[in-house]
């Protein structure tokens, strides 16, 4: 028995059939639920009318969140690299001091 390579998801009460490898099905369904939720939030705010506009606003909001999180991760990685460099420098100094003491 072979599994289907398509998944049906509902976003704003419309059904979409999307090609998807079986091992990615859960991720796709989760993404669709997330998108549906964001689009419903925007539609319920009453500030944006029309499914196309709601979709674009949801895409912009999700992209903004993604880029903000990526920037935060980049800053954390940079800080971590700096901490590792500082620790390596301290280890080098300690080893050099230990080597100097052993030579005396």
């Amino acid at each position: 028995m072979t599994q289907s390579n398509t998944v049906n998801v509902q976003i704003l009460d419309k059904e979409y059939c999307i090609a998807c490898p079986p091992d990615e099905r859960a991720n796709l369904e989760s993404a669709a639920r997330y998108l549906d939720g964001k689009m419903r939030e925007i539609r319920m705010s009453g500030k944006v009318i029309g499914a196309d506009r709601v979709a674009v606003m949801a895409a912009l909001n999700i992209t903004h969140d993604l880029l903000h999180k990526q920037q935060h991760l980049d800053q954390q990685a940079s800080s971590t690299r700096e901490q590792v460099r500082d620790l390596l420098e301290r280890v080098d100094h300690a080893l050099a001091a230990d080597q100097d003491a052993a030579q005396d």
Side-chain angles (χ1 to χ4, degrees):
M1 177 193 278
T2 60
Q3 288 185 323
S4 173
N5 287 335
T6 61
V7 176
N8 291 330
V9 297
Q10 283 206 341
I11 300 171
L12 281 188
D13 304 321
K14 288 180 103 176
E15 190 165 308
Y16 298 89
C17 183
I18 301 170
C20 177
D23 60 335
E24 288 294 321
R25 181 182 183 110
N27 287 335
L28 175 61
E29 290 171 341
S30 178
R33 280 191 303 275
Y34 185 80
L35 176 59
D36 181 64
K38 288 294 185 182
M39 289 178 70
R40 287 180 187 279
E41 284 176 20
I42 292 167
R43 186 175 69 179
M44 288 179 63
S45 75
K47 296 177 182 176
V48 180
I49 299 173
D52 290 348
R53 290 178 183 262
V54 169
V56 169
M57 290 305 297
L60 285 172
N61 286 337
I62 292 168
T63 302
H64 175 267
D65 291 345
L66 174 67
L67 292 175
H68 180 73
K69 287 178 182 178
Q70 184 61 49
Q71 182 183 27
H72 182 70
L73 287 174
D74 289 347
Q75 289 171 346
Q76 282 183 322
S78 178
S79 175
T80 300
R81 279 191 297 274
E82 189 174 313
Q83 289 174 339
V84 168
R85 269 190 238 112
D86 288 346
L87 287 172
L88 287 172
E89 189 175 308
R90 290 172 63 187
V91 167
D92 286 344
H93 286 335
L95 289 173
D98 190 45
Q99 222 174 20
D100 289 344
Q103 290 177 355
D104 288 342

